[in-house]
Amino acid sequence: MYDIIFKHLEEKVTLTQTEKEIIKTFFKPKKLKKKQFLLVEGHVCKYMAFVSKGLLKAYNIDDKGNEHINQFTPEGWWTSDMSSFFRGENAFYSIDAMEDTEVLLITSEDFDKLTVQVPVMDRYFRLLFQNSLITKERRLISSYTHTAEEKYRYILENNPDLIKRIPQNLLASYLGLSPETLSRLKKNVIAAQK
């Protein structure tokens, strides 16, 4: 379970074996069954989660009952409601498992202790948060500057394995499209590739 997180960490920072052993003490492993919640909208987010196996989705539901997906989190990615996690506010969205999933959880208090005890982790999280901010900025800009087809092609090119694991209606929600529009785009893209 820890092999994946260490592989991910070492893509950005160098860790000693002692540091790895210390890092392990701050994380709590948890298994989630498909459709089991890690976080419920309106509750305080107690954990930041690293997915070591499986797939999570973060979303909120509007007043009309429509689900709006903010993020899919496959193996090797982190998820949390950051404002809730760091500020103790009520979460804006829910996070649940799309598949049987294994995560490593860290509390806000342990996050602070970890970055003090293993200073290289402070650098790691700074890089992680920078990349996350850049990704969210690009997604926001894309949401109003790119066509539906451009959005679909982008995710198809950058996350082809992930697309195979996500039902079409959920992918449509993530892209801000109707399932019918996504179906039409898929047909157009497939036809253009022939």
Side-chain angles (χ1 to χ4, degrees):
M1 181 175 262
Y2 289 93
D3 293 343
I4 293 173
I5 194 170
F6 289 134
K7 181 178 182 238
H8 181 74
L9 294 172
E10 291 183 317
E11 289 173 0
K12 297 191 175 13
V13 295
T14 303
L15 297 168
T16 67
Q17 191 58 40
T18 302
E19 287 170 331
K20 288 180 183 180
E21 295 304 317
I22 294 169
I23 290 167
K24 282 183 186 179
T25 67
F26 286 99
F27 286 91
K28 174 184 162 188
K30 182 174 178 87
K31 292 183 179 185
L32 300 168
K33 293 285 184 192
K34 184 177 180 176
K35 296 187 179 184
Q36 184 177 351
F37 284 90
L38 178 65
L39 174 65
V40 176
E41 181 179 357
H43 291 83
V44 174
C45 180
K46 297 179 182 175
Y47 303 102
M48 185 172 1
F50 179 84
V51 178
S52 54
K53 179 183 176 189
L55 180 64
L56 299 174
K57 66 174 176 169
Y59 61 96
N60 66 345
I61 297 177
D62 66 22
D63 295 339
K64 296 178 182 176
N66 298 315
E67 185 176 87
H68 301 278
I69 298 176
N70 178 46
Q71 178 183 357
F72 295 108
T73 311
E75 297 86 0
W77 288 26
W78 293 87
T79 192
S80 184
D81 182 311
M82 298 307 252
S83 62
S84 180
F85 179 74
F86 285 115
R87 294 181 176 177
E89 302 169 350
N90 289 339
F92 290 112
Y93 49 84
S94 296
I95 301 172
D96 69 24
M98 294 179 61
E99 305 170 352
D100 288 349
T101 300
E102 295 176 10
V103 294
L104 294 170
L105 304 174
I106 188 166
T107 65
S108 179
E109 182 180 324
D110 281 344
F111 176 89
D112 292 338
K113 289 178 185 176
L114 172 61
T115 57
V116 170
Q117 286 189 30
V118 183
V120 71
M121 290 301 291
D122 191 56
R123 174 173 166 64
Y124 166 78
F125 282 113
R126 182 177 55 79
L127 294 170
L128 182 75
F129 295 151
Q130 284 175 350
N131 288 338
S132 177
L133 180 60
I134 291 165
T135 299
K136 288 186 186 232
E137 284 178 345
R138 286 183 179 163
R139 182 160 182 239
L140 177 64
I141 291 167
S142 172
S143 72
Y144 56 83
T145 61
H146 290 97
T147 66
E149 184 172 335
E150 288 170 333
K151 290 179 202 176
Y152 176 68
R153 284 184 182 276
Y154 179 83
I155 197 167
L156 184 63
E157 291 168 9
N158 290 285
N159 294 295
D161 295 331
L162 188 58
I163 285 185
K164 295 173 188 170
R165 296 165 68 181
I166 299 170
Q168 184 168 310
N169 65 318
L170 298 182
L171 181 58
S173 172
Y174 176 75
L175 293 172
L177 307 171
S178 70
E180 296 79 19
T181 299
L182 180 58
S183 181
R184 192 171 53 253
L185 286 173
K186 286 174 79 173
K187 287 178 187 171
N188 291 344
V189 169
I190 291 168
Q193 291 174 343
K194 291 182 178 180

